[in-house]
Amino acid sequence: MNPSGFSFHADKWLTGAIALLLFLIIVITWLIRRTTGRVNKVSNRQSDEMQRANIMNQVNELTREQLDQVLRYREEKKHHALTSGETSKTILPLLALVIGLLSSLSGMAQDTAPAGNSLLSQPGILITVILLLIPLLAALLILYTRVKRLLQQYTDQQRTKEANQLASLLSNTATPLIEQQLLQRKQSLEYTLHHHELSGTLPPADAKGLLHINTHPGLPVVPLKRKAPPRPQIDKALSKLILAYLISAAAWLLFGTTVGEYIGIKFVAPDADHIAWLSFGRLRPVHTNAVFWGWASLGMLGLGYYIVPRVSNAPLASIKKGWYALAFLNAAVVLGTISLMAGINNGGGEYREYIWPIMLLFAIGLLLSLSNFIQTIARRTTKEIYISNWYIVSAILFAITITVVAYIPAWQNGLGETIIQGYYMHQGVGMWFMLFTLGMVYYFLPQQLNKPIYSYSLGILAFWSQIFFYTLIGTHHFVFSAIPWWLQTIAIVGSVGMIIPVVAGTTNFFMTFRGAWDQLRDSYTLPFFLTGVVFYFTGSLQGTAEAFRFTNQLWHFTDFTVAHSHLTMYGIISFFLWACIYAVVPRLTGREAPQLSIGIHFWLALLGLLFYTIPLMIGSTLRGLMWMNGKPFIETVQFMLPYWLWRAIGGSMMWLSHIFFAWNLYRMVVPKKQVDITETAIQRLAMEPATVH
């Protein structure tokens, strides 16, 4: 029986895809022919006189070297004509002249059941299609740019013809007008500047020490990026605390994603091992909890220990309390990992597999951090509480609240267990990770752009609307369950309401970029921020699309939810964390990571995420339709094998990018062992006794 009333026909989808492809080809072909025809019309309308005038204008743009070459050629040709009595064709000098002129020209160029049994009648499907069309539109723009490049080549061919005509004109020694223009051009080039009129002849110097003058730039392999300015006023004890959090986070990222890499390979090779501790059922929660509570949580808290004192303009209340919190948090993840691999868990509740004594250690670490932050904010020397502190403190409050609610046994029975699980799971993502991370972005993004946030009001709107709507949406994971229908509907309505904070936050971030897009070329942190903002918009609205009843029926229990969770937790949280870490660590240590390895980290992570999520979303959509059409379960398992292979490939690229990230962090933290010329000279002077004259 088909519960949705929808009949899946693969041939219709294939025909539609082919028709769309043909339509795109026709549009692109029309653009090429239209632009080419325009070029032909313009070239045909040009009269011989206009072409001759254009060619004559080229004479006035000759450089000194080209002018000397032309005059020398004309003198030689005149001399040859007088001595031989006939005009001969000299091919090689003319070719050399044309090549020289072409190089000049190229240098001067500026360049419920679905209504009507249709998938597209469902709001969730429509939102998803729109989100998929966004990168498709970007691809079409790139393709159009490539077409324009081909047309530019055609234009260059036309300019080559003009160059040939110019060469023919210059080789005609019987034209006195050309001779006169060449001589005038030569006289114009006789005058030269000394190149010191504005700069002077003194060497560069900065008496106040505000500038760093690099007199030996070298030969860079990759484009040079802007370096982080030093912040010597940061407390060294606080710097050590922040670096300890970030190093611990990076270690858990490597460990957790190594486990994820292994279980991802198991989808392709399920018989890789037969050890109970390495079974998929035990390793999967090890992976999720290590990256949740180890990587993301420790990374966020470490950055919070930097942000809260900075925006409060006050020292951290207690360095010692921060170290205690780090010890409790690390102990919770270590003990939780061991217990999960040993088969000791909380009964399978997603993201709360740690048993309550272990999670209690994590809650103590959060309480210590919360009290530390609140005491620091209370000692602030500024009148207002900056919005970053709003987000950070609220995120910790929500994390403690949902942990208490999820682990107290009073609600863990019957349907109450299911409702609380949905509440805990979704609030953990949206009210702990997302809320804290947005607080980080509101500090670091304006700092990296060296301009204020676009709108403080939009930030407040996003803050309160997220608190209002996100706390309602947990049960949209249990649509069509025994949970009351009205509660499911409230979750769906709350999911739609999440459009408000997402659009407000995205608009705020993009408008902050306004007028500063050129800084992307000079920064290695801003591409991470921009990627996080893009995934914040697309990934969050994808969650809204999944909440509708039909899309929930189609995608639930498939790998679509796996793709969505990686699109948000990885594409948003991890990219924002990397951006902030690359921004703050050089300010703490005074050392930059190699720009080449940062670029490799970025592209491996981004491409790996795309290879991971897009095939899973496509395959899971088709798998859900097969289920709704009554196909056997094992047939859908076999159908997913190619998509799981792409999952393993993308996951491998992501895991490899984390190795580069760990290397970059190492290079920023550990000083490179080499002789410091200045420091060595000072030490040598200190060892030698001063002589009195």
Side-chain angles (χ1 to χ4, degrees):
M1 181 178 179
N2 185 355
S4 68
F6 177 79
S7 177
F8 172 61
H9 299 286
D11 55 343
K12 292 184 178 180
W13 282 84
L14 182 60
T15 304
I18 294 175
L20 178 61
L21 180 61
L22 291 175
F23 174 74
L24 294 177
I25 294 174
I26 292 172
V27 170
I28 294 169
T29 306
W30 177 77
L31 285 173
I32 296 173
R33 186 164 185 81
R34 179 170 175 265
T35 310
T36 307
R38 187 183 305 166
V39 174
N40 288 332
K41 288 180 180 179
V42 172
S43 61
N44 291 334
R45 280 199 301 264
Q46 287 184 339
S47 62
D48 293 339
E49 292 77 9
M50 293 176 61
Q51 292 181 359
R52 185 178 181 85
N54 290 335
I55 293 173
M56 295 294 290
N57 289 333
Q58 299 294 331
V59 175
N60 294 327
E61 297 181 3
L62 292 174
T63 64
R64 174 173 296 180
E65 292 77 9
Q66 293 170 341
L67 185 61
D68 291 340
Q69 185 178 358
V70 171
L71 292 175
R72 190 182 310 114
Y73 168 76
R74 292 172 64 88
E75 290 296 331
E76 291 177 355
K77 188 172 182 180
K78 289 180 180 179
H79 178 72
H80 181 73
L82 291 174
T83 55
S84 62
E86 60 180 5
T87 304
S88 61
K89 296 182 179 180
T90 55
I91 304 299
L92 292 178
L94 182 59
L95 288 177
L97 174 63
V98 172
I99 292 174
L101 291 176
L102 283 177
S103 63
S104 172
L105 293 176
S106 63
M108 290 185 290
Q110 297 294 326
D111 299 325
T112 56
N117 294 337
S118 174
L119 278 176
L120 294 179
S121 65
Q122 300 305 310
I125 296 294
L126 286 175
I127 294 176
T128 303
V129 169
I130 292 173
L131 293 177
L132 291 176
L133 285 178
I134 292 174
L136 179 60
L137 179 60
L140 287 176
L141 291 175
I142 294 173
L143 188 58
Y144 180 69
T145 304
R146 297 293 179 86
V147 172
K148 290 188 68 176
R149 185 177 300 173
L150 292 176
L151 296 177
Q152 181 64 38
Q153 295 178 0
Y154 171 78
T155 305
D156 290 342
Q157 293 177 0
Q158 301 299 319
R159 294 173 67 86
T160 303
K161 292 181 180 179
E162 291 188 16
N164 293 332
Q165 294 175 358
L166 176 60
S168 176
L169 185 63
L170 293 175
S171 64
N172 187 3
T173 58
T175 307
L177 181 61
I178 294 295
E179 189 77 24
Q180 183 180 357
Q181 280 193 323
L182 290 173
L183 292 175
Q184 290 178 354
R185 178 61 177 167
K186 184 178 180 180
Q187 291 176 358
S188 300
L189 293 174
E190 290 293 334
Y191 177 77
T192 58
L193 296 173
H194 299 290
H195 304 292
H196 299 300
E197 284 77 9
L198 297 178
S199 62
T201 57
L202 297 177
D206 179 25
K208 297 184 177 180
L210 299 177
L211 302 177
H212 174 71
I213 301 172
N214 184 11
T215 56
H216 302 286
L219 183 63
V221 179
V222 294
L224 294 176
K225 304 294 184 180
R226 186 176 63 250
K227 294 185 179 296
R231 298 292 179 91
Q233 68 271 25
I234 297 177
D235 184 12
K236 291 184 178 180
L238 179 60
S239 297
K240 291 181 180 179
L241 177 64
I242 296 171
L243 291 176
Y245 272 88
L246 299 182
I247 292 171
S248 299
W252 285 118
L253 175 66
L254 278 179
F255 171 78
T257 53
T258 300
V259 174
E261 167 74 3
Y262 183 67
I263 61 178
I265 292 175
K266 278 195 169 188
F267 277 89
V268 183
D271 293 328
D273 68 79
H274 299 281
I275 303 173
W277 280 51
L278 300 180
S279 62
F280 181 87
R282 297 190 186 184
L283 288 184
R284 199 267 177 177
V286 169
H287 162 66
T288 56
N289 285 275
V291 295
F292 269 44
W293 312 124
W295 152 241
S297 298
L298 288 176
M300 294 188 311
L301 287 170
L303 293 167
Y305 276 102
Y306 177 85
I307 296 172
V308 173
R310 299 294 300 174
V311 299
S312 302
N313 198 23
L316 184 68
S318 174
I319 299 290
K320 185 180 295 184
K321 193 180 292 185
W323 285 105
Y324 285 147
L326 178 61
F328 277 108
L329 295 169
N330 272 320
V333 184
V334 171
L335 295 176
T337 299
I338 296 174
S339 65
L340 289 178
M341 295 185 71
I344 304 171
N345 56 63
N346 193 40
E350 192 170 21
Y351 310 146
R352 59 169 176 160
E353 290 90 352
Y354 290 170
I355 58 177
W356 73 264
I358 294 176
M359 203 61 188
L360 179 62
L361 298 176
F362 194 87
I364 292 174
L366 290 181
L367 282 170
L368 290 173
S369 299
L370 177 64
S371 64
N372 215 352
F373 291 163
I374 291 179
Q375 290 174 11
T376 304
I377 296 172
R379 300 175 183 178
R380 71 188 185 279
T381 58
T382 58
K383 181 180 179 180
E384 299 84 4
I385 300 177
Y386 185 63
I387 192 171
S388 292
N389 284 344
W390 287 44
Y391 277 91
I392 290 172
V393 172
S394 299
I396 301 178
L397 287 172
F398 271 104
I400 295 173
T401 301
I402 63 176
T403 303
V404 171
V405 170
Y407 277 88
I408 291 181
W411 300 283
Q412 298 183 24
N413 49 44
L415 284 179
E417 165 73 10
T418 304
I419 295 172
I420 292 302
Q421 171 59 31
Y423 170 80
Y424 168 83
M425 174 178 57
H426 225 99
Q427 306 320 300
V429 174
M431 304 307 292
W432 167 232
F433 296 110
M434 192 66 71
L435 209 61
F436 201 118
T437 304
L438 291 175
M440 293 161 23
V441 177
Y442 273 102
Y443 174 78
F444 278 108
L445 181 60
Q447 181 205 64
Q448 293 298 293
L449 291 172
N450 195 26
K451 58 184 300 191
I453 196 71
Y454 171 72
S455 172
Y456 202 87
S457 299
L458 275 179
I460 299 300
L461 172 64
F463 176 80
W464 287 112
S465 57
Q466 178 159 339
I467 289 178
F468 180 78
F469 288 112
Y470 213 108
T471 51
L472 305 175
I473 66 179
T475 50
H476 76 202
H477 285 271
F478 304 106
V479 177
F480 299 115
S481 68
I483 294 176
W485 192 261
W486 64 267
L487 187 56
Q488 301 177 31
T489 303
I490 288 177
I492 296 173
V493 173
S495 301
V496 176
M498 277 301 297
I499 295 176
I500 297 175
V502 171
V503 172
T506 304
T507 302
N508 213 1
F509 297 146
F510 274 128
M511 294 303 288
T512 304
F513 267 103
R514 185 181 62 173
W517 292 103
D518 58 311
Q519 296 189 33
L520 283 170
R521 299 192 307 267
D522 304 326
S523 173
Y524 54 77
T525 60
L526 291 179
F528 285 93
F529 278 114
L530 182 61
T531 303
V533 172
V534 171
F535 282 121
Y536 172 58
F537 177 76
T538 56
S540 300
L541 291 189
Q542 186 189 70
T544 298
E546 289 183 78
F548 292 98
R549 286 191 168 92
F550 174 75
T551 48
N552 200 289
Q553 184 181 12
L554 174 66
W555 289 328
H556 204 54
F557 301 117
T558 70
D559 289 307
F560 198 99
T561 55
V562 178
H564 171 67
S565 63
H566 283 77
L567 201 66
T568 52
M569 281 300 299
Y570 195 87
I572 305 173
I573 306 302
S574 291
F575 270 87
F576 278 150
L577 279 172
W578 288 325
C580 297
I581 289 173
Y582 283 133
V584 73
V585 175
R587 286 172 165 79
L588 302 177
T589 64
R591 287 179 287 273
E592 302 272 349
Q595 295 179 10
L596 180 60
S597 57
I598 293 177
I600 295 174
H601 167 212
F602 174 80
W603 287 110
L604 279 177
L606 177 59
L607 295 177
L609 178 61
L610 296 178
F611 288 166
Y612 187 105
T613 55
I614 293 177
L616 280 187
M617 288 189 287
I618 296 173
S620 299
T621 301
L622 298 176
R623 190 184 194 190
L625 291 171
M626 293 172 70
W627 284 352
M628 295 168 68
N629 203 38
K631 297 292 183 181
F633 177 78
I634 192 63
E635 183 177 332
T636 66
V637 173
Q638 296 173 347
F639 171 80
M640 285 297 296
L641 289 179
Y643 302 98
W644 286 336
L645 177 60
W646 277 108
R647 168 183 178 157
I649 294 173
S652 299
M653 296 175 66
M654 295 156 67
W655 173 73
L656 185 60
S657 75
H658 304 157
I659 297 178
F660 280 94
F661 165 67
W663 167 251
N664 292 333
L665 185 61
Y666 172 81
R667 289 293 303 272
M668 289 188 291
V669 173
V670 179
K672 189 176 181 180
K673 294 182 179 180
Q674 63 180 4
V675 176
D676 190 324
I677 298 176
T678 306
E679 189 66 25
T680 303
I682 294 175
Q683 291 177 0
R684 184 171 181 178
L685 289 176
M687 293 173 61
E688 295 180 358
T691 59
V692 181
H693 297 282

